[in-house]
Amino acid sequence: MGKVIFGNLQSKLMRRNIPYRIILPTQYYSSKQNYPVLYLLHGLFGNCDNWLDLTGIVKYAKSFEAIIVTVEGGNGWYSDSKTDASDKFESYIIEELIPEISLKLRTENRKEKRAIAGLSMGGYGSFKFAIKRPDLFCFVGSMSGALIAPTLTVENQGGIWDELLPSINEVFGDKDSLTRQENDLFRLISKCSTDKIKELPFFYFDCGIEDTFLEANREFADIFQKRNIQFEYHEVSGGHDWDYWDKQIKVILSLAEFYLVGKQ
């Protein structure tokens, strides 16, 4: 079983100490090779320890031939906040965390050896990073992705998203803000040129058939198909909960390993 490391990064961008967790491959210390990296993003109201505490990921990753980094995202939607200058989770991950991991560990520092995935808010964040920075990732995964988050407002959320709105409003601002537009996945995909689409990583996503985000995920599958974006989408029995994510993280690990290790 791989070793778990508890790390912290003193972020200059966010002016505070940000935790992260690492699951090293079983052979990391007995080898001299450099390893691919999978970044895992948690959901709203969660933290970077969720993957370790609420899933069997350490056990599932026993034979996983890549480094896993569980990322801290607070309730910040993996974005640079419109209202709080000290919350810059997007810039922190791209400009500070990825370079930190590359500096401290033996990693393969190229797109073909880097992947990102997440659940709910983390699924949204993973998709956004992959679309904005296709030069960084070869594979992106989402479970129960809250892919429509920046579009949700008091007027259109229908009462079922009440618990999401405080964080959405804090991060993205009012309904007409530029920050909402810049982080809207629908808008980002629609603006992708044919050439940029060719540069995008492979997208895998799934959603429980009892999940309230099901329609949003179906809509993205339709968009990806129409735009000829490489993807795989599945609807699976289950809801928006850790029983579902504990099961589906095994799928993510299998696919990520194929793209990071098995596909040369």
Side-chain angles (χ1 to χ4, degrees):
M1 189 173 293
K3 180 179 177 60
V4 176
I5 296 174
F6 288 66
N8 290 279
L9 193 161
Q10 185 59 45
S11 171
K12 294 180 180 179
L13 288 170
M14 302 214 285
R15 301 193 291 277
R16 62 184 186 272
N17 203 40
I18 311 295
Y20 59 86
R21 309 295 180 237
I22 298 168
I23 305 172
L24 290 175
T26 304
Q27 304 299 322
Y28 183 85
Y29 289 114
S30 61
S31 74
K32 295 182 179 180
Q33 73 181 79
N34 293 339
Y35 287 90
V37 184
L38 168 64
Y39 291 88
L40 281 183
L41 311 185
H42 64 77
L44 188 67
F45 310 125
N47 59 63
C48 65
D49 287 317
N50 286 165
W51 292 105
L52 303 177
D53 296 340
L54 301 174
T55 77
I57 191 169
V58 176
K59 178 177 66 176
Y60 305 151
K62 183 177 180 180
S63 61
F64 191 62
E65 297 182 33
I67 295 166
I68 298 172
V69 180
T70 68
V71 179
E72 178 60 46
N75 293 331
W77 292 96
Y78 301 102
S79 300
D80 292 354
S81 174
K82 169 72 173 177
T83 65
D84 187 343
S86 65
D87 273 359
K88 296 182 181 295
F89 283 102
E90 179 174 339
S91 295
Y92 155 73
I93 291 168
I94 298 298
E95 298 176 22
E96 293 184 324
L97 180 60
I98 291 178
E100 166 96 346
I101 298 301
S102 298
L103 180 66
K104 290 194 169 184
L105 298 173
R106 300 196 315 271
T107 65
E108 290 270 13
N109 297 318
R110 52 195 174 99
K111 167 181 176 167
E112 292 80 8
K113 297 297 179 178
R114 191 183 295 115
I116 190 165
L119 65 88
S120 193
M121 179 182 79
Y124 160 78
S126 297
F127 268 34
K128 186 180 70 165
F129 287 131
I131 297 168
K132 283 189 172 185
R133 294 299 305 269
D135 58 307
L136 291 180
F137 306 101
C138 69
F139 171 82
V140 54
S142 168
M143 297 169 283
S144 316
L147 307 178
I148 56 174
T151 70
L152 295 175
T153 66
V154 173
E155 292 80 13
N156 72 12
Q157 53 86 28
I160 61 172
W161 310 103
D162 287 345
E163 68 273 20
L164 306 184
L165 286 179
S167 63
I168 287 174
N169 291 335
E170 181 174 345
V171 172
F172 300 118
D174 62 51
K175 64 180 181 179
D176 297 318
S177 74
L178 181 60
T179 303
R180 283 191 184 253
Q181 295 177 36
E182 292 173 341
N183 290 281
D184 181 347
L185 296 186
F186 295 97
R187 186 171 181 272
L188 290 173
I189 283 292
S190 69
K191 290 180 63 179
C192 279
S193 66
T194 302
D195 287 340
K196 185 174 181 180
I197 284 175
K198 294 176 183 177
E199 299 173 2
L200 292 175
F202 183 84
F203 289 81
Y204 168 85
F205 55 122
D206 60 52
C207 194
I209 57 176
E210 290 92 38
D211 196 312
T212 47
F213 287 120
L214 182 60
E215 288 302 321
N217 279 266
R218 286 176 173 173
E219 187 170 351
F220 262 85
D222 288 341
I223 293 171
F224 280 9
Q225 187 169 26
K226 290 175 182 176
R227 297 229 62 193
N228 293 317
I229 294 170
Q230 294 187 68
F231 78 99
E232 182 179 336
Y233 171 64
H234 295 278
E235 295 179 3
V236 184
S237 175
H240 204 80
D241 54 49
W242 283 101
D243 286 339
Y244 181 90
W245 301 320
D246 181 55
K247 178 176 62 176
Q248 294 305 116
I249 188 59
K250 300 176 194 176
V251 178
I252 295 289
L253 291 178
S254 177
L255 286 167
E257 187 165 43
F258 171 74
Y259 280 91
L260 292 172
V261 180
K263 185 178 181 180
Q264 300 301 323

